[in-house]
Amino acid sequence: MSLKSKTSGVPGFISYMPHKSQIEELTNEEAGILYKRLFSYVDTGELPDFRGNKLLKIIFYDYQRELERDIEKYQSMCERNRINGQKGGRPKKDTVVSAGADINFIGKNPDGFFKNPKNPI
């Protein structure tokens, strides 16, 4: 399966903090190139050409492994949600009213009191 077919519907990607030290070693221009190529890779699935910049290529491969892992995780979550949605969701609860209970108060006062306290703290 190509990355393009994997990334269809993926809302974005995560940049993890362990990459911070790598990114800080880059110039602003190199960091910009790297992030533009990352967005392009997630969007198109095509491996970027770093034109001989080995440092960017090495950092990109770290990102690539994480991106592919995250995309797999996202797809498995979508599939699980799809299967759960086909089941129809959570069943409705039965409301059982005990004898002598006032039906007007059921579910209206979550703290269990029928009236407001006279001296609130």
Side-chain angles (χ1 to χ4, degrees):
M1 179 184 284
S2 71
L3 184 71
K4 180 58 179 168
S5 61
K6 286 181 181 181
T7 60
S8 70
V10 174
F13 65 92
I14 298 172
S15 182
Y16 295 98
M17 286 304 290
H19 289 291
K20 183 178 183 227
S21 60
Q22 293 174 335
I23 300 299
E24 286 178 346
E25 293 298 321
L26 300 175
T27 65
N28 288 342
E29 182 181 346
E30 289 173 327
I33 290 169
L34 176 67
Y35 272 95
K36 283 183 178 184
R37 301 280 164 69
L38 282 169
F39 278 103
S40 177
Y41 174 69
V42 171
D43 186 38
T44 65
E46 296 177 18
L47 287 174
D49 177 24
F50 287 105
R51 296 190 179 104
N53 191 331
K54 290 183 181 182
L55 181 60
L56 290 181
K57 197 173 195 178
I58 291 168
I59 294 172
F60 173 80
Y61 286 135
D62 283 345
Y63 271 98
Q64 183 184 17
R65 283 194 313 271
E66 290 174 359
L67 286 169
E68 290 176 359
R69 181 196 65 217
D70 290 347
I71 289 168
E72 287 292 324
K73 187 191 262 185
Y74 175 77
Q75 288 177 335
S76 68
M77 181 183 64
C78 289
E79 183 62 26
R80 184 187 69 225
N81 290 344
R82 188 176 302 109
I83 291 169
N84 289 338
Q86 291 172 350
K87 293 178 183 177
R90 180 178 175 180
K92 299 207 184 269
K93 291 183 179 180
D94 292 332
T95 55
V96 178
V97 179
S98 61
D102 186 357
I103 196 154
N104 294 326
F105 286 110
I106 294 176
K108 291 189 178 182
N109 199 348
D111 61 4
F113 295 109
F114 291 110
K115 295 181 181 179
N116 289 335
K118 298 201 186 290
N119 294 324
I121 296 176

